[in-house]
């Protein structure tokens, strides 16, 4: 639901190579008005397939209330906010 936040941090000497984060947020009957990484808004993808092909962005699946978020891994921690 609106106001949901998730902090992400990559640490440790044995951390795997850089990857793309694929996040799923459940419980969104309607699409959020915005998905932010820190103060930067992510672009809303027109389809789930378009999101898979994009470097970053988000897509709302109304059938099951899931918001999918894709973003490249970053060396510094960040917070993803759904509003």
């Amino acid at each position: 639901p609106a106001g949901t936040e998730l902090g992400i941090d990559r640490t440790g000497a044995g951390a795997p190579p850089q990857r793309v984060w694929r996040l799923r947020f459940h419980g969104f009957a309607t699409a959020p008005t915005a998905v932010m990484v820190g103060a930067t808004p992510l672009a809303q993808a027109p389809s789930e397939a378009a999101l898979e092909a994009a470097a970053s962005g988000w897509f709302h699946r109304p059938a099951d209330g899931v918001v999918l978020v894709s973003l490249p891994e970053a060396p510094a921690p960040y917070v993803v906010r759904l509003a």
Side-chain angles (χ1 to χ4, degrees):
T4 299
E5 291 187 10
L6 172 69
I8 300 173
D9 184 11
R10 179 180 188 213
T11 59
Q18 189 160 354
R19 58 187 164 216
V20 174
W21 290 99
R22 306 275 190 216
L23 310 173
R24 293 175 186 228
F25 296 88
H26 297 262
F28 285 83
T30 59
T33 57
V35 176
M36 312 283 288
V37 175
T40 305
L42 291 178
Q44 183 177 6
S47 68
E48 194 169 343
L51 178 63
E52 289 292 323
S56 65
W58 66 276
F59 178 74
H60 176 249
R61 282 194 325 223
D64 60 2
V66 172
V67 175
L68 304 168
V69 178
S70 291
L71 48 130
E73 188 174 45
Y78 49 60
V79 174
V80 177
R81 279 188 195 89
L82 287 76

